Amino acid sequence: MKIPYILLLLIVITIPVAVRAQTGILKGRITSSGDAVPYATIALAGSQTGTNSNDQGYYELKNIQPGRYEVWFSAIGYFTEKHEVTIPKGLVTTLSCNLKENSSKLNEVVVTGVSRKTELRRNPIPIAVITKREMNQNVNNNIIDAIVKGVPGVSAVTTGPNISKPFIRGLGYNRVLTLYDGIRQEGQQWGDEHGIEIDEYGLGRAEVVKGPASLTYGSDALAGVINMIPAMPEGADGIWKGDYLVDYHTNNGMIGTSLGLAYQKAAWKYSFRASAKTAHDYQNKTDGFVYNTGFREYNLSGNMRTDKKWGSWQLSGTWYDNKQEIPDGSRDSVTRRFTKQVAEGAGDDIKNRPLVGDNELKSYAIAPLHQRIQHYRLYSYGKIKTGQGSIDVALGLQQSVRREYNHSVMVNQPGLYVVLNTLNYDVKYNLPVFRGIESTIGLNGMCQTNRSKTATDFPIPDYNLFDAGAFFFSRKTFGKVDISGGLRYDSRAIRWHDFYVGPNPANGFNRHVIPPDTAGANLQFPAFKHAYHGFSGSLGLTYNVTEKLLLKVNIARGYRAPNITEIGSNGLDPGAHIVYLGDRTFKPEFSLQQDVGIISYLNDLDLMAELFNNNIDNYIYQAKLNDANGNPVVVVPGNSTYKYQQSAARLYGAELTVNLHPQKLKWLAFNNSLAYVAGINKNRQLIAQSNGAARYLPFIPPLHVRSELKFTLQQSGKIFSKTYFKVEAGIYAAQNRYYALDNTETATPGYTLINAGAGTRIKTKPGRTLCELFLQVDNLFDKVYQSNLNRLKYFEYYTASPNGRSGIYNMGRNLSFKAVFPF
């Protein structure tokens, strides 16, 4: 009786062996210019058989039926290669592939501004993608400046090298929604001197929506969205991977360093990163070292994720701590050397302060006059598959702590001290596809509380905010035409109680006085309660004329509720050196924007042309306040006074990109872009009263042309690979169309900046990458210039200067060096 069982066991064992003997194996390596292409896709055409290359570019396909096949090799950023191969019975066939880099991003998948992952080519809304390598090649002091270089139509209002607030097509502040991994970034965005609280070294890519994205995100996305997506390294199971980065800039001595680690085991992935950077004052030929522009920043982040058959779940956290010095522009009237504040009140003679010593200008120690921004974030994502549909849930907790130290006598007493707590929520149901229609319904919003602590200045009240919006989004493909659009309704409630400010006998400054003991106090912010509502939506189509030629048209209605400083401000913002005055009667902004675009990726040429026209009702902007005699209103000595205004406005313009990359000269690339925007104030009465001084909107960037000539070595050596050299010119036209009423803005001369860069990858003998090196020289010829969007341009205490130059100028020549060591 045992013999049949033994025979059966032998049959069971030998069947797989016999089957394997009747099939073949295909294996090989995917490279590009001699370097491995990890996680590339290998697929047999017309079958479900496929795999991915490992972190060294190797792949293996088993159990292939004998025959002739067409094998497809593809990876993001590379041209797809197709090869024919014959798989014999019982043998191993080797087929390797060398992929060519491809600048086209049409087939990239984006997650920003859409309800579910979408190919870039199928989205009618203008979206730009900048990769990690592009960020590294655009070496800068902060991530926003790198995006400005890489995405036409994006600019930045700056307050020194580490503070850049993004503007998209002439619109900024709360009109540009900044996301981190899809979670809206909530800090004190209303502050001019408040930058982006994100670790630039940990980013994997950035996606930029140019135009109203209110449909998906609600208020604060009127101008667009910038989504910073952290890198999530891939690797083999049970093996630690990581990278170490060093960064150095000569102009301000900036030193940056970052360590990232990643681990993967079965369905779980983990990553961790720690970063730090510090810098002293920056310099230029006119100002020398600009006092109080140094900074010090620390970042920590962690992430864990699992992917299962039922869906996926992710938990992430970030910690940010930044100390940023605050320049005030005070200096000696004759020598133009910077001075520093050492007394307050009547004892502070602004025009007779002591000079700053040379040792202080080059010191990495943070000066007493500075701000400290701390940001903590914990968020979680979940995706649950429901048959042919899915439910996406996101929940985030954030806390932003902002302190500004502006007292020279009591250096540990903050002038501004506010704590903002935010709960973000987002729920979406991706419905099953019905007759080719993909639809999503969703609900998202936030809850906020803002509280002042032991401060002496109170520019905004303590407030509570609740925001909610529901939307419906749908898309369908009709042959070569992709149509998408949807509707959304938003509601935002904001309120605050009476806020009293009175003298503090303990230190001689002011303090927040809590009722009922308000004797001798001033009611700085009377109680307020209001709800804002708005409908938004979009409708657009993409016509795929050919695989490489697309036409896009989109019309969108945007919505934005006024922010806290626009309706509630009534006091000094110490870091901005401005007293802001809001208006609680302001209405929400509504925009109607039309976009038309043509995109073509040809063999030798990339062509992108985008035109836009945007009409905004109830546009809010800040303007300098003068009295009836034309003299500046001074509420706090040494500080300007600005009052928010509201009127209709129109913005229109274009972005044009022409990139040449001849196939017969694969080593050559000539990339060119042009961005133009005009901002028109439609308040005819004010324009007439001001004799045309109020004709244009403030903070409108000038015409910008960028050209880059890049040489990339095609042959990979034993040590060096992916070596490139580039030279670029940034041409900025004069800005003579500015908001001139009450000297809010002044004309800005045009200028041209020449930059140069180089980079390479150094390999070890086994073919592994030892490090990547990036070298960049910005402002090669040390040009003295002022950007139209440089706030320091207006930091001036005198009506005239001996050298004829007023205000603070931008950074001079800067040589930067970055090295990334993967392991």
Side-chain angles (χ1 to χ4, degrees):
M1 293 295 294
K2 292 182 179 180
I3 294 177
Y5 288 106
I6 295 173
L7 291 174
L8 180 61
L9 180 61
L10 290 173
I11 292 172
V12 171
I13 293 174
T14 55
I15 284 177
V17 176
V19 170
R20 283 196 292 270
Q22 301 300 315
T23 60
I25 296 175
L26 178 67
K27 69 177 184 178
R29 191 180 189 215
I30 315 302
T31 59
S32 177
S33 299
D35 292 320
V37 178
Y39 317 112
T41 299
I42 301 92
L44 301 185
S47 74
Q48 300 296 317
T49 303
T51 188
N52 295 102
S53 60
N54 63 17
D55 60 343
Q56 292 301 307
Y58 292 101
Y59 76 94
E60 185 175 45
L61 280 172
K62 297 181 179 180
N63 302 324
I64 304 174
Q65 293 297 324
R68 190 160 185 81
Y69 293 91
E70 185 177 63
V71 187
W72 289 30
F73 300 92
S74 62
I76 291 178
Y78 300 88
F79 286 105
T80 298
E81 294 278 348
K82 302 175 184 179
H83 295 275
E84 290 190 351
V85 64
T86 299
I87 304 297
K89 179 171 57 178
L91 297 177
V92 176
T93 303
T94 300
L95 178 63
S96 295
C97 181
N98 184 42
L99 297 179
K100 303 295 184 183
E101 290 193 24
N102 181 12
S103 62
S104 170
K105 296 179 180 179
L106 284 179
N107 295 321
E108 283 207 43
V109 175
V110 295
V111 298
T112 310
V114 293
S115 61
R116 59 179 101 185
K117 292 182 178 180
T118 305
E119 269 191 335
L120 190 60
R121 68 179 303 117
R122 299 192 177 279
N123 193 354
I125 300 173
I127 298 181
V129 177
I130 181 168
T131 64
K132 186 176 184 65
R133 184 168 178 82
E134 290 172 318
M135 295 178 196
N136 283 330
Q137 291 181 7
N138 295 331
V139 181
N140 269 286
N141 280 273
N142 65 78
I143 185 59
I144 296 300
D145 288 346
I147 292 175
V148 167
K149 277 189 174 182
V151 182
V154 179
S155 53
V157 167
T158 62
T159 311
N162 196 42
I163 301 178
S164 295
K165 300 186 77 68
F167 271 51
I168 298 178
R169 293 175 169 176
L171 296 174
Y173 293 100
N174 281 71
R175 298 180 186 90
V176 175
L177 180 60
T178 302
L179 308 176
Y180 180 81
D181 203 10
I183 298 291
R184 60 185 295 154
Q185 177 86 3
E186 286 298 319
Q188 307 289 345
Q189 300 100 302
W190 50 267
D192 282 300
E193 73 293 355
H194 194 211
I196 302 298
E197 301 160 351
I198 289 174
D199 180 9
E200 64 173 305
Y201 296 140
L203 296 180
R205 63 192 270 131
E207 298 176 356
V208 180
V209 179
K210 295 189 288 186
S214 301
L215 169 62
T216 312
Y217 301 103
S219 183
D220 302 343
L222 189 78
V225 174
I226 298 180
N227 190 7
M228 316 284 189
I229 302 173
M232 188 66 180
E234 299 281 352
D237 268 12
I239 298 177
W240 283 94
K241 289 180 62 67
D243 65 80
Y244 176 69
L245 176 150
V246 289
D247 194 7
Y248 178 70
H249 295 202
T250 59
N251 186 284
N252 60 350
M254 197 203 84
I255 303 170
T257 183
S258 181
L259 174 66
L261 298 172
Y263 183 78
Q264 180 175 327
K265 189 67 175 178
W268 286 89
K269 298 177 182 178
Y270 309 89
S271 66
F272 172 81
R273 181 167 293 275
S275 303
K277 58 182 180 180
T278 184
H280 58 63
D281 299 330
Y282 80 86
Q283 59 183 310
N284 59 58
K285 287 198 301 186
T286 291
D287 300 313
F289 285 93
V290 179
Y291 180 55
N292 257 25
T293 55
F295 57 88
R296 184 181 300 156
E297 179 183 310
Y298 300 101
N299 287 279
L300 293 174
S301 62
N303 182 81
M304 59 185 298
R305 177 186 174 91
T306 184
D307 292 276
K308 301 285 188 178
K309 291 183 178 180
W310 52 263
S312 61
W313 177 76
Q314 174 181 324
L315 179 65
S316 304
T318 65
W319 175 84
Y320 172 95
D321 192 337
N322 174 266
K323 290 183 179 181
Q324 173 72 55
E325 294 179 340
I326 303 173
D328 67 2
S330 68
R331 58 175 100 197
D332 179 75
S333 62
V334 178
T335 65
R336 299 289 289 172
R337 290 184 59 185
F338 287 97
T339 60
K340 60 181 178 179
Q341 182 182 0
V342 294
E344 295 193 66
D348 179 28
D349 185 353
I350 295 176
K351 296 185 178 181
N352 287 286
R353 291 176 174 175
L355 297 175
V356 178
D358 291 340
N359 59 325
E360 295 177 84
L361 295 170
K362 298 180 182 180
S363 173
Y364 286 93
I366 299 299
L369 182 62
H370 71 275
Q371 64 173 331
R372 184 180 185 185
I373 305 291
Q374 295 168 290
H375 192 279
Y376 313 100
R377 176 182 14 237
L378 182 67
Y379 64 97
S380 179
Y381 282 115
K383 176 183 284 291
I384 303 171
K385 297 178 181 178
T386 57
Q388 298 300 312
S390 64
I391 298 174
D392 297 339
V393 180
L395 194 66
L397 290 170
Q398 299 179 68
Q399 183 180 76
S400 174
V401 182
R402 179 181 179 185
R403 283 167 284 194
E404 294 185 356
Y405 297 91
N406 63 319
H407 296 298
S408 58
V409 177
M410 299 181 63
V411 295
N412 294 320
Q413 171 62 55
L416 176 70
Y417 189 173
V418 288
V419 177
L420 179 69
N421 294 304
T422 304
L423 169 66
N424 305 97
Y425 62 92
D426 189 353
V427 180
K428 292 186 294 189
Y429 175 41
N430 299 308
L431 283 73
V433 178
F434 176 72
R435 294 186 176 180
I437 302 174
E438 297 180 2
S439 300
T440 300
I441 57 174
L443 175 70
N444 52 29
M446 63 181 175
C447 304
Q448 272 188 350
T449 63
N450 188 80
R451 296 293 181 265
S452 295
K453 300 299 181 179
T454 54
T456 63
D457 297 292
F458 306 92
I460 60 172
D462 292 351
Y463 68 89
N464 296 327
L465 180 149
F466 178 75
D467 183 89
F471 70 91
F472 171 78
F473 181 88
S474 186
R475 70 183 181 201
K476 181 176 172 58
T477 298
F478 298 90
K480 292 185 176 183
V481 178
D482 299 299
I483 299 179
S484 63
L487 294 172
R488 180 186 178 99
Y489 174 75
D490 276 285
S491 178
R492 172 172 290 183
I494 186 169
R495 65 180 176 87
W496 63 79
H497 301 294
D498 287 340
F499 190 101
Y500 291 86
V501 175
N504 186 351
N507 57 24
F509 299 112
N510 288 330
R511 64 175 178 175
H512 177 203
V513 178
I514 301 175
D517 186 17
T518 58
N522 173 52
L523 179 58
Q524 188 161 331
F525 303 101
F528 178 81
K529 183 179 181 180
H530 194 76
Y532 302 93
H533 309 280
F535 282 97
S536 56
S538 70
L539 178 64
L541 64 86
T542 300
Y543 177 41
N544 298 268
V545 181
T546 67
E547 183 68 20
K548 295 183 177 182
L549 176 63
L550 293 86
L551 298 177
K552 297 191 176 190
V553 179
N554 192 75
I555 183 169
R557 172 182 165 91
Y559 154 81
R560 183 182 79 92
N563 67 29
I564 181 61
T565 186
E566 292 166 344
I567 58 175
S569 59
N570 183 29
L572 173 67
D573 179 0
H577 305 294
I578 293 175
V579 174
Y580 290 106
L581 302 177
D583 189 331
R584 57 178 61 201
T585 66
F586 281 162
K587 300 176 182 179
E589 294 180 344
F590 290 97
S591 70
L592 185 64
Q593 178 164 320
Q594 304 87 36
D595 287 277
V596 178
I598 178 171
I599 302 176
S600 178
Y601 283 98
L602 306 177
N603 290 334
D604 298 319
L605 174 71
D606 300 340
L607 174 65
M608 287 168 280
E610 297 173 337
L611 306 175
F612 67 92
N613 180 63
N614 191 7
N615 286 284
I616 304 177
D617 293 329
N618 309 319
Y619 180 79
I620 301 171
Y621 62 95
Q622 54 181 265
K624 214 168 188 177
L625 189 63
N626 282 10
D627 60 23
N629 298 321
N631 299 315
V633 172
V634 178
V635 176
V636 179
N639 298 272
S640 301
T641 303
Y642 282 73
K643 182 174 177 58
Y644 285 97
Q645 313 289 332
Q646 187 167 57
S647 69
R650 181 191 176 202
L651 295 100
Y652 61 90
E655 290 107 39
L656 176 65
T657 300
V658 180
N659 296 335
L660 298 173
H661 44 79
Q663 289 297 298
K664 293 183 178 180
L665 302 173
K666 294 182 181 296
W667 49 269
L668 175 65
F670 186 37
N671 302 322
N672 305 271
S673 66
L674 177 150
Y676 172 76
V677 59
I680 308 299
N681 191 338
K682 297 174 69 174
N683 187 335
R684 295 180 180 178
Q685 182 179 355
L686 182 62
I687 294 171
Q689 291 175 351
S690 65
N691 294 320
R695 181 174 301 168
Y696 305 109
L697 300 178
F699 287 129
I700 299 299
L703 172 71
H704 177 207
V705 177
R706 182 171 181 265
S707 291
E708 176 193 78
L709 189 62
K710 188 175 182 180
F711 307 91
T712 304
L713 301 185
Q714 297 300 298
Q715 298 300 321
S716 176
K718 293 183 179 180
I719 299 178
F720 300 101
S721 66
K722 294 188 179 297
T723 302
Y724 71 89
F725 304 91
K726 67 175 182 176
V727 59
E728 61 185 31
I731 305 169
Y732 296 82
Q735 182 56 289
N736 296 313
R737 307 176 75 182
Y738 57 93
Y739 188 84
L741 183 59
D742 296 331
N743 290 317
T744 297
E745 289 186 314
T746 59
T748 305
Y751 55 92
T752 298
L753 302 179
I754 303 298
N755 310 317
T760 190
R761 180 175 294 179
I762 300 178
K763 301 180 295 184
T764 57
K765 288 183 179 180
R768 293 179 176 270
T769 299
L770 174 64
C771 70
E772 286 188 278
L773 301 179
F774 303 93
L775 183 68
Q776 177 85 12
V777 184
D778 288 308
N779 195 359
L780 180 63
F781 298 109
D782 209 12
K783 176 74 174 178
V784 174
Y785 73 100
Q786 283 178 320
S787 165
N788 181 66
L789 301 183
N790 176 14
R791 287 186 59 252
L792 298 182
K793 173 186 175 184
Y794 301 100
F795 282 32
E796 179 60 63
Y797 285 85
Y798 305 99
T799 57
S801 68
N803 62 7
R805 299 186 183 275
S806 176
I808 298 174
Y809 284 72
N810 287 72
M811 182 180 283
R813 183 190 298 115
N814 181 44
L815 172 62
S816 54
F817 171 84
K818 180 186 289 187
V820 183
F821 299 86
F823 57 85

